Structures are given as structure tokens and as C-alpha cells.
Amino acid sequence: MSELLSTSLTLRRCKLVRVGTDGQVAEYIFDQPTVSLGSLEDNDLVLDDDKVSRYHARIVLDGDDFLLEDLDSANGSWVNRVRVRQGYLQSGAAVRLGATELRFSVLSERVEITPSHREALGAIVGKSERMRQVFGVIEKIAPTGATVVLEGETGTGKEVVARTVHQFSPRASNTFIVFDCGAVQENLIESELFGHEKGSFTGALASRQGLLEMAHGGTILLDEIGELALDLQPKLLRALEHREIRRVGSNRPVKIDVRVIAATNRNLAEEVAAGRFREDLFYRLSVVRLQLPPLRERREDIPLLARHILRGGAFNRGADGPRVKGIATTALEAMMRYDWPGNVRELTNVVERACSFADGEFIGLDDLPDHIAGVRLVSPRSKAGQRTEPLRGATVQVMSDRTFKDAKDLWLAAFEKEYIHTLLTRHSGNLSQAAREADVDRKHFRRLARKYDLIPGSRVVDATEEDDA
């Protein structure tokens, strides 16, 4: 089990050496958490031995140790000449299944993770040291069958990372399936994951494969794994350990060959401590734990990401190529100052929105939402929804030499005066039209205009000719 907290990663593998009756030596190395042994061809290690059962035994990675489990075989499983139903294996242990002798050993590969020189890997983009370290981990674990837990805040790109792991694995040509554990009703999750037989429950009009069965030979991402109900976790654990599932309403096991990647925005170790997640499932999943950094901790990636989103987004495709060519420096600087609580997902939405507002070939500061561009007065919009000229004096001056209340009152007064003046100017002094655009009561608008002496100096037209005095 490993977590990305340092610059190294430990991968544990199982090695079996078999010496044939003719003296030939065969070595088998497995990097998956469960290795099945038996005479049938769908086992990980097929033993051509009349005394070996079809599904004779399995070797399971249990935390940092390997456990041999006999599967009710006819002739038993032996470790160092002792028959066992379950037994932990040490490197050098002699294992006998039927008449077949095997030598077991553990390969612990300590992999030093050096930041990659890449600025992109698959669909992941980033040049910060944190992301280049993530690239290094993916490059090491993708070719293996190691189960991975992706942890990180919402919007950090866990699904993109999972797809990249799949893309660079030997399973890349097979299915990649995403299942959101938090988006399906609890009473339907079992059927969705494991499938069901016809008539197994009301509405089961036909037999149906589950997603674990459909992902055979490929990869499944269990998104928001922390939302999985406690009563379903043992069944998932069994599927991972035995590499088989049973459909709802069936006693027949179905063998599966699936790489599992789990993702969560929770801290699973804390969930285990709080009793909300099974410890045994946590350790079974956490062969590798990969923490994805939030965007605020890799601000140098924001310009690269924003340009990548702009180039690849369908929202920016015109008949002759991208409609908006780039992002102005002032806009990028504002983006880098913002904390992005929604991370890359929020950045994607902001770039798409800014692209729709941009009038020219570049996204400018005024095309960004006000909370990202900086604390500014909001520019009024016409009825057609078009952006108008910014308010005069729209930059906020922080009056730190005054009390908070006095500074706030002065700022608010400046805002009200500027806002009223701008609308009256646009509507040639027509108070009713200005009040309608401001979406405030006409009498209140008139009182504000008088408060800031905007009526005596200009001709204010009241369409109803009523006297509000």
C-alpha cells in the first residue's frame, strides 16, 4: 500500500517458481492483488495436474502480506509441508497444490518518483512539480494491474486521471466504465454493479449484466466510493478478492477480470476511523493511493490549463477554427489570484462563459465573472443582454485609513451615485426608463437621484409626470 506523500512508491508483487518433472524452471510474476490457481484456463496460473482442482486456491494481497486460501480443493493446499485452509506466505515458502510444487517469493519494488519533464500526459495538463510528480506515478503504475484510489477535492480531475491510467495500461483497447456510487439510488446499486437475473425483484423483466461484468478485460472507475453503503461493501470486497461476482437472484459465480480504480473527495482513512467505511475494503483498494492537488496549490498550471480548455472546447469551435484565439495577460493574472474552490471543473465553466462574452479574438478581464476579475462595480447591461461600457471609476479604492463603517458608507455612496448617473445619462434623463433597467421602484430611484443632486444639474424626465415630493 502506498500514498503519494513522498517521492517514492512501493509496489509489491507475487512471484511463483515451478520446477517441472523434466527439470525445466518456469517463473510467473503477478502484480494484481489476487492470483487464482487451478486447472481451468480462466485461472491466472493454470496447472496441468490431475490432482489439482478446477479452482484450487488463490493468493491474496492482504495489506502488506500475501495470504494463501484453499478453495475447498479435493487434495488440499500445503505450505512448507503443512496443509492449510488459510495461511500467510513468507518469501521462500514451499507451496504444493496436488502434485505441483511451487516456490513463493515477494518482490517489493521501491520506485523513486522523479517529476516528469512532461507538461501533459493523456488528457491531464500541468507543469507544476506536484502534477509532474503525479505524471511520474501514473507512468509507473499504469502498466501494472494495481488497484488505485484517487483522492482529492471535487473538480480536481479524478476521472481524467483514471482514464489516463487506463489509456497507458495493457487494457487500453478494452472497456473503460464509470460508475458513480453517489448518483444511483441505494436499492439499485447492487443490481447496477453485479447485475441481476430475470424475476429476481419487481421490475426485473430480463436478466442483465452488471457493470463489473461488462468491464471484463478492462477498467472500472468507482467514483465517489466513499458514498457506497456499508451493507454493499462486503460484496464488493468479495468481488475484488475472488475476482468473481454473483448476480442478484443467482448463486452461479461469474469470473471477472477487471482493474478497479476508486475515486473519492473524502479522506478514506478518516472514514475508516469513523466507522463509515470498512477497513478491509480500504486496504484491498489502497494498493496505491494518489492524492490530486487542488488548483490553488498549483497556480502556475492555470494559464496552461485555461489555454488547453479554450483550444479543445467544443464551445469555441467556429466554421474556420477557434472563434477566440487566446486569453489576455490581465485575465490570466486575475485567474491566478483566484482560489478556485471548484478546481478544474470551475475553471472549465469560467473559460466557456468568458468565451461567450468575448467580442474579439481574446478573452479580456471584463469577460470574467466579477468575483474572479477582482472586486469591481457591475457594468449595466442593455435589454438585449449586450455588455455596455464599464462604469466610470469602477476600480475600488481601499480606504484603510478610515474605520470599516466609514469606508463602507463612502464606497456605497460612490457606487450609488455612479450607478444612477450612468443610467440617467444612457436614457437621456428619463427617470422611468432608468429605473426600469435598474429593476428598482421609480420613486426610490428618484429619491436616490435627488440625494446625489443628479436632478438639478440635468433634465430628469418622469414619464408619469408625478410629483414624488
Side-chain angles (χ1 to χ4, degrees), residues 394-405:
T395 301
V396 173
Q397 296 181 356
V398 179
M399 295 169 283
S400 56
D401 58 335
R402 299 175 181 268
T403 65
F404 174 79
K405 183 178 184 302

Side-chain angles (χ1 to χ4, degrees), residues 370-381:
D370 296 318
H371 65 286
I372 296 176
V375 182
R376 298 179 295 129
L377 301 182
V378 180
S379 300
R381 301 177 186 274

Side-chain angles (χ1 to χ4, degrees), residues 193-237:
L193 277 178
F194 304 105
H196 62 256
E197 296 293 345
K198 180 180 179 180
S200 56
F201 55 85
T202 303
L205 304 179
S207 296
R208 179 178 179 276
Q209 285 186 324
L211 294 179
L212 285 167
E213 196 175 342
M214 292 168 64
H216 183 79
T219 304
I220 187 168
L221 170 62
L222 301 179
D223 200 10
E224 301 304 339
I225 188 70
E227 304 293 334
L228 189 65
L230 274 171
D231 59 341
L232 289 177
Q233 292 179 22
K235 192 163 187 177
L236 176 59
L237 176 62

Side-chain angles (χ1 to χ4, degrees), residues 315-336:
F315 57 84
N316 192 31
R317 292 176 189 164
D320 302 322
R323 186 179 64 82
V324 176
K325 309 297 184 185
I327 306 173
T329 301
T330 52
L332 289 174
E333 289 173 349
M335 289 180 176
M336 292 181 70

